[in-house]
Amino acid sequence: MRLPRFEYSEPGTLEEACSLLAQADTKVLAGGTELLVKLKQKTITPRALVNIKSIPHLDRIEETEDGGLSIGPATTLHAAATSPLVRDRFGLVAEAAAAVGKPRIPYMATLGGNLCLDGRCFYYNQSLLWKQSLPPCYKDGGHLCHVVQGSDHCNALFVADTVPPLIALGAEVTLTGVDGETRMPLEDFYTGRGEEVNVLQPGQVLSRIRIPAPPPYSTGVYLKHSLREAIDFAVVGVALLLTVSPEDGTCRDARVVLGSVATRPLRAVAAEAALRGKALDEGLVRTAATLAAKETHPVSHLGVSATYKRRVIETLTKRAVRQAWRQAVAGSGSREGWR
Amino acid sequence: MGGGVGGGVGQDVADTRKRLTVTVNGRQCSLMVEPNRTLLEFLREDLGLTGAREACDTGGCGACTVLVDGRPVYSCLVLAVDCQGKDVLTIEGLAVDGRLHPLQQAFIDHGAVQCGFCTPGMILTAKALLDENPAPTDEEVREAIAGNICRCTGYVKIIEAIRAAGGTGKPACT
Amino acid sequence: MGRLSVVGTSLPRVDAWDKVTGRAEYAFDVELPDMLHVKVLRSAYAHARILSVDTSKAQGLPGVRAVITGADMPKDPPLEALRNELYAVPPFSLATDKARYTGEEIAAVAAEDELTAEEALQWIRVEYEPLPAVIDPEEAMKPGAPQIHDDAENNIQYENRTEFGDVEKGFAEADHVFEDRFSTQLVHPCTLERTVCIAAFDSSGYLTFYDNSIDPYKQSRYLPKLLGIEPSRLRIVQKAIGSNFGALQGNLTPYIMCALLAKKAGRPVKLVYTREEEFINAGPRHMGVCYLRTGVKNDGTVTARDIRLITNAGAYGYLGPAMMTSGFTPCAGLYRCPNVRFEGKCVYTNTAVTSPYRSFGIVPPAFAMESMMNIIAEELGMDPVALRLKNITRQGDVTVVGQEISSSGLPECIEKTVAHIGWKEKRGRLPPNRGVGMACGMFDSEVRNAPFAGSVAYVKLLEDGRVKVISGEFEWGQGSRTVLSQIAAEELGVPLESVLFSELDTAAVPYALGPYGGGPVTLRGGNAVRLAAVEARRQLFAVAAGMLSVGPDDLELKDQKVVVRDDPVRALSSAQVAHYAKFILAEEIIGRGHFEPDTVMRDPKTYYGNYSSGYTFTAQTVEVAVDPETGQVRILDFASAIDLGKAINPMAADGQNEGCVGQELGPILLESLAYDKQGRVVNPNLVDYRLPTALDVPPITSFLVESHEPHGPYGAKACGQVSNIPAAAALAGAIYDAVGVWIKDQPITPDKILRALAEKEKREHAPA
Ligand SMILES: Cc1cc2nc3c(=O)[nH]c(=O)nc-3n(C[C@H](O)[C@H](O)[C@H](O)COP(=O)(O)OP(=O)(O)OC[C@H]3O[C@@H](n4cnc5c(N)ncnc54)[C@H](O)[C@@H]3O)c2cc1C
Ligand code: FES
Ligand code: FES
């Protein structure tokens, strides 16, 4: 399949990029690993692409004054996964970055591209020819969903691996547009609507990702389960940030974020609440895991049944809490806290 | 429907080509290319380097793997114009003066080649691995080549060959 | 036979250098001057009447050079001449009045470049009247199911019933009767090189195709009839092939499309399938549902087997019936049970036309039969190994379906693999969630599927002492050219590097049957090449005898020299002799070898007959770990043994064994060509269709058992397509050993394992 024709530019500054992107039907090109597949299939045929990798310094990882990290969106996933800055204190992000289309995609794809990844669906992500006989679905501007008959919304699945860990860590993103900058928690970047997964407006670039310093006595885990050992999206991804009390080992705070289970990254709030303030024991771990499975409503999608997804959410949540708990006990969590 | 694909040669469009200067197999070349050309198409069609193979066309098999600045990438998902100033190595650039690279020799000696369609991508992936980790374990080899599908060998002899070239494998049987 | 020096040695492949340097040329790489690119408009519906096709807009598009539709198809195609032994006609036409699967060809465009051709498709207007579609073969047989072909009642393309012995009596003699249903899914061979067809007429109207199909000889036989071209004015040429495991076998449509477009445009054309087209059009392996009943005595003796098999032909039936027979007979032959009944139905469905994907048709029934053997062993409290050894067919047997077992190393195959895994220590004794399983298989080493089932080869001694093999046997990557070259090298006393192999050109090299994998080439082609080489040696000696004024019997071949045995100083190099023969005597040294196996075609009704001049056996033992919380199966060790008679090239044979296992793990655990209810393939790409990666395939230990097949060259028989036969049942057995559930429908997904575990738990905790 050939790529359709498009206009192409390599801006030297963010401002230039934004003004190019403000023009009709223009898309950001980062690593291209999602975008170019869609173009080849003619799922979308934008008029122009703006390659943001040409903008200097957009691929930098820096420590911030408050002990957090600031990561440029054009940072490759490989760079993020192997950077000591990320690995040492934000191991769950490194794990997730390395797991994206493992082992090859991380060399090509960017962190920003992963954050801006569109929802995936067996009906939407097909070639134009494949879709000939189908009435357009919500995501293609139509009025129905082929995955869930009768659904009043698009069910395209949110699958980006690095997002659950970043949300668990309370990451923020900066959006730069022609009218200036907006900062928001990453969690708010997502709309929950399959049709339009995030709040990016034409002319806007996701220009920075900030991760605050992890809270004292916290430890994080990202677990991904996929059907194949490589080149595969998650059936379920579970990120967990667990903060324990150094005095008695109870759980001070827990943030559980699930990927590949809904149209957006999902906080397992019931599971979080169950953990918060409690003394950790095996019974609690099980309770939290069961709650996480119960509070989600996955649909059978992309060859995986909803029941199976639930089982995996439960298992991964259980394992994530156990693992974080073990790490916490061993004192291998956030260095600040355990010093 | 119609007209959505965005034209081929027949269409009357302005020259949108960009000058691309890139080093391929140690030689610098400078060509005008369309932005919608992938690195794979550029190598195969503009430079006649057909050793990089196209199999899935969408980043799922590794047959098109080449090294860009030493890193293995799926050249079917990289724009040629995005390689400006970069250093590209294809399978044709691996043997020096007709002398095979140790990996190529190991693939021959260990029977790691059957239909051969995955072979260039496999060898280049293995090269990137050995450049970073000259004596990989079995598991490290599997991790590294897991982005390259081989339909013929069950990977057994490919892994053997890579480990042998890295000096950690068994000698070839005779 | 003296000591062998080339045969039996693990020499590197003859084409390896080209392949590791990227020089190897595949059909995919062939570019002809002035060539156009073809794109195909395929049915968007699984089942629909085609009311009209309007190509006028597409035709007017700049850059478009030719467009064809069903209206351009050959009128009055000679259907009778196209029928195969089982009365089926290969697909050859664009759809005209009706489309029967999503992906069926409706129109094709040749344009200056791919993008223009692709865009032109968007401008073709097709008016459809959608009809209800049916995907599942059992559904398709039900009354009221959509009728796919007018002449096929209940959508049954072919059915047959055959019985040997007295099955009812056999069941009456049994102490236990087991009954179960097993099934396998549609899967795709997914060769890395996609389907390519290039057609070019020269100025005199001579038509050349370049392709990478599995049977260029069959195509070159049928195409002239359809295209109205004299057979001598058409040829098919093959370059290196990016593997071929059976997809699109026999399908003539790509050739017809390309030939018609090339003719219309007056320029060469090239069609390369997209990966999506591979999935929706290029023959997947059929799905199979097998209802199986087996009677056994308390001591494990199998007394009766009743096999009911339903497979899907796809939208058109071509090889479906043949796959059914080929699947049944080796399954029947593997055990000594004298009472066997088989009832097979091959059913039309609104899916791509199914095609044999490695080991022609046997996977569905073999999975059922070997799984049931494991279930029986478990229920009788017997060791599955002991149950096998009690019942397996042995060397010297004539099986219930007439196979003459002239060699079998199956007992040794079993022994080797169970010893490797540590069966005795491990079975039933591993820690929780770990288990071992085993199974066996048998397959034809070649097959008489046509009146001519042999092979012809020429071996030429060139004037520089090199040897050229001229044979039509195919090289798809399995290493056949290396093996055949080794045989020629052996007989003519030259090193392997001195053997050249002819390019496959149907007009230039002898007809070959081909499409039966890595082994038949060895058995049939190997015999033919060997006979040809022996004849070339005879000629070499005859010419040398004249030159040296001795009798041919006084000569021997040593270090590429013809030497007078009793007076070794008198010697001529083979090159000298060949040079003399060619330029002085004007009689080149060319040996012709013709091999015709002593076999019969299976009776089309009863399936009885000794249709192969050798049968290959295999046994596999495997150890797994199952994660009971995610259902994930991890294979820890996989031992696979094949009895291949004699390994002409052990390294290549190991490669076939390992590759075959590694490939089949996909269908067993990961892969499924997923059709939705409307008959669309929803995963037509290599990300969503999950092929095994190096992290999914475990270490595989290959054992080669040499039983010496009297009909094979140097005792060799097939080895390329047997190791995928028992793998699924061996794994299912190991999973049972690990977690106590039998999974009877492939693929064995984590989801199914968890469901089975949940049901088991429910049963066990249910109040009695
Ligand atoms: C074989 C294969 C396997 C994959 N497996 C996984 C997986 O396991 N997990 C996973 O999460 N993903 C996976 N992906 C999807 C994709 O590769 C990754 O999500 C990747 O991180 C995308 O990043 P990119 O830089 O390549 O994005 P691109 O393709 O360049 O862009 C993706 C989208 O984001 C937009 N975009 C990119 N950067 C910005 C920015 N800074 N500001 C605004 N918009 C932007 C683009 O316009 C586009 O719409 C896989 C893809 C392939 C081909
Ligand atoms: S062809 Fe590029 S990854 Fe398959
Ligand atoms: S050798 Fe054929 S795909 Fe690897």
mmCIF file of all heavy atoms in Angstrom, chain B residues 40 53-64 74-76, ligand 2:
data_model
loop_
_atom_site.group_PDB
_atom_site.id
_atom_site.type_symbol
_atom_site.label_atom_id
_atom_site.label_comp_id
_atom_site.label_asym_id
_atom_site.label_seq_id
_atom_site.Cartn_x
_atom_site.Cartn_y
_atom_site.Cartn_z
ATOM 1 N N LEU B 40 11.667 2.422 2.865
ATOM 2 C CA LEU B 40 11.744 1.145 2.160
ATOM 3 C C LEU B 40 11.606 1.326 0.653
ATOM 4 O O LEU B 40 12.379 0.775 -0.136
ATOM 5 C CB LEU B 40 10.649 0.202 2.681
ATOM 6 C CG LEU B 40 10.574 -1.181 2.025
ATOM 7 C CD1 LEU B 40 11.851 -1.974 2.268
ATOM 8 C CD2 LEU B 40 9.368 -1.967 2.568
ATOM 9 N N ARG B 53 13.132 -6.246 2.459
ATOM 10 C CA ARG B 53 11.934 -6.842 1.869
ATOM 11 C C ARG B 53 10.676 -6.195 2.416
ATOM 12 O O ARG B 53 10.654 -5.758 3.568
ATOM 13 C CB ARG B 53 11.891 -8.338 2.182
ATOM 14 C CG ARG B 53 13.189 -9.079 1.894
ATOM 15 C CD ARG B 53 13.316 -9.381 0.426
ATOM 16 N NE ARG B 53 14.644 -9.946 0.106
ATOM 17 C CZ ARG B 53 15.165 -9.927 -1.109
ATOM 18 N NH1 ARG B 53 14.522 -9.355 -2.104
ATOM 19 N NH2 ARG B 53 16.332 -10.463 -1.343
ATOM 20 N N GLU B 54 9.638 -6.213 1.630
ATOM 21 C CA GLU B 54 8.350 -5.718 2.116
ATOM 22 C C GLU B 54 7.427 -6.914 2.290
ATOM 23 O O GLU B 54 7.221 -7.678 1.351
ATOM 24 C CB GLU B 54 7.745 -4.758 1.101
ATOM 25 C CG GLU B 54 6.407 -4.208 1.549
ATOM 26 C CD GLU B 54 5.687 -3.468 0.432
ATOM 27 O OE1 GLU B 54 6.268 -2.537 -0.146
ATOM 28 O OE2 GLU B 54 4.540 -3.856 0.134
ATOM 29 N N ALA B 55 6.926 -7.099 3.479
ATOM 30 C CA ALA B 55 6.080 -8.269 3.696
ATOM 31 C C ALA B 55 4.713 -7.911 4.258
ATOM 32 O O ALA B 55 3.697 -8.341 3.754
ATOM 33 C CB ALA B 55 6.784 -9.270 4.602
ATOM 34 N N CYS B 56 4.698 -7.103 5.342
ATOM 35 C CA CYS B 56 3.385 -6.772 5.915
ATOM 36 C C CYS B 56 3.006 -5.347 5.599
ATOM 37 O O CYS B 56 1.850 -5.013 5.533
ATOM 38 C CB CYS B 56 3.386 -6.976 7.418
ATOM 39 S SG CYS B 56 4.290 -5.696 8.313
ATOM 40 N N ASP B 57 4.001 -4.499 5.446
ATOM 41 C CA ASP B 57 3.780 -3.120 5.022
ATOM 42 C C ASP B 57 3.263 -2.230 6.147
ATOM 43 O O ASP B 57 3.073 -1.044 5.943
ATOM 44 C CB ASP B 57 2.761 -3.124 3.860
ATOM 45 C CG ASP B 57 2.972 -1.967 2.912
ATOM 46 O OD1 ASP B 57 4.047 -1.342 2.996
ATOM 47 O OD2 ASP B 57 2.081 -1.689 2.105
ATOM 48 N N THR B 58 3.024 -2.775 7.321
ATOM 49 C CA THR B 58 2.469 -1.955 8.397
ATOM 50 C C THR B 58 3.127 -2.216 9.745
ATOM 51 O O THR B 58 2.471 -2.189 10.787
ATOM 52 C CB THR B 58 0.948 -2.168 8.541
ATOM 53 O OG1 THR B 58 0.694 -3.573 8.672
ATOM 54 C CG2 THR B 58 0.185 -1.637 7.362
ATOM 55 N N GLY B 59 4.414 -2.488 9.735
ATOM 56 C CA GLY B 59 5.120 -2.554 11.009
ATOM 57 C C GLY B 59 4.896 -3.809 11.824
ATOM 58 O O GLY B 59 5.099 -3.802 13.025
ATOM 59 N N GLY B 60 4.517 -4.900 11.175
ATOM 60 C CA GLY B 60 4.225 -6.087 11.964
ATOM 61 C C GLY B 60 5.115 -7.282 11.725
ATOM 62 O O GLY B 60 4.830 -8.357 12.244
ATOM 63 N N CYS B 61 6.211 -7.141 10.953
ATOM 64 C CA CYS B 61 6.945 -8.362 10.630
ATOM 65 C C CYS B 61 8.459 -8.216 10.599
ATOM 66 O O CYS B 61 9.168 -9.210 10.711
ATOM 67 C CB CYS B 61 6.477 -8.920 9.299
ATOM 68 S SG CYS B 61 7.112 -8.024 7.875
ATOM 69 N N GLY B 62 8.970 -7.044 10.378
ATOM 70 C CA GLY B 62 10.415 -6.871 10.418
ATOM 71 C C GLY B 62 11.171 -7.229 9.157
ATOM 72 O O GLY B 62 12.396 -7.076 9.114
ATOM 73 N N ALA B 63 10.492 -7.658 8.112
ATOM 74 C CA ALA B 63 11.203 -8.018 6.885
ATOM 75 C C ALA B 63 11.907 -6.807 6.273
ATOM 76 O O ALA B 63 12.888 -6.942 5.551
ATOM 77 C CB ALA B 63 10.236 -8.621 5.867
ATOM 78 N N CYS B 64 11.406 -5.622 6.592
ATOM 79 C CA CYS B 64 11.933 -4.402 6.003
ATOM 80 C C CYS B 64 12.989 -3.740 6.885
ATOM 81 O O CYS B 64 13.397 -2.612 6.613
ATOM 82 C CB CYS B 64 10.791 -3.409 5.797
ATOM 83 S SG CYS B 64 10.039 -2.924 7.361
ATOM 84 N N TYR B 74 11.712 -0.385 11.304
ATOM 85 C CA TYR B 74 10.868 -0.895 10.216
ATOM 86 C C TYR B 74 10.858 0.175 9.130
ATOM 87 O O TYR B 74 10.199 1.207 9.275
ATOM 88 C CB TYR B 74 9.439 -1.114 10.702
ATOM 89 C CG TYR B 74 9.237 -2.197 11.748
ATOM 90 C CD1 TYR B 74 8.305 -2.039 12.768
ATOM 91 C CD2 TYR B 74 9.935 -3.405 11.696
ATOM 92 C CE1 TYR B 74 8.068 -3.029 13.711
ATOM 93 C CE2 TYR B 74 9.714 -4.404 12.642
ATOM 94 C CZ TYR B 74 8.782 -4.206 13.647
ATOM 95 O OH TYR B 74 8.543 -5.183 14.576
ATOM 96 N N SER B 75 11.553 -0.067 8.044
ATOM 97 C CA SER B 75 11.651 0.998 7.037
ATOM 98 C C SER B 75 10.340 1.230 6.295
ATOM 99 O O SER B 75 10.196 2.212 5.592
ATOM 100 C CB SER B 75 12.785 0.706 6.045
ATOM 101 O OG SER B 75 12.532 -0.472 5.322
ATOM 102 N N CYS B 76 9.366 0.344 6.469
ATOM 103 C CA CYS B 76 8.056 0.568 5.830
ATOM 104 C C CYS B 76 7.258 1.639 6.563
ATOM 105 O O CYS B 76 6.261 2.113 6.052
ATOM 106 C CB CYS B 76 7.257 -0.727 5.744
ATOM 107 S SG CYS B 76 6.704 -1.360 7.340
HETATM 108 S S1 FES D 2 7.207 -4.872 5.966
HETATM 109 FE FE1 FES D 2 7.842 -3.442 7.423
HETATM 110 S S2 FES D 2 7.455 -4.450 9.262
HETATM 111 FE FE2 FES D 2 6.604 -5.810 7.836
#
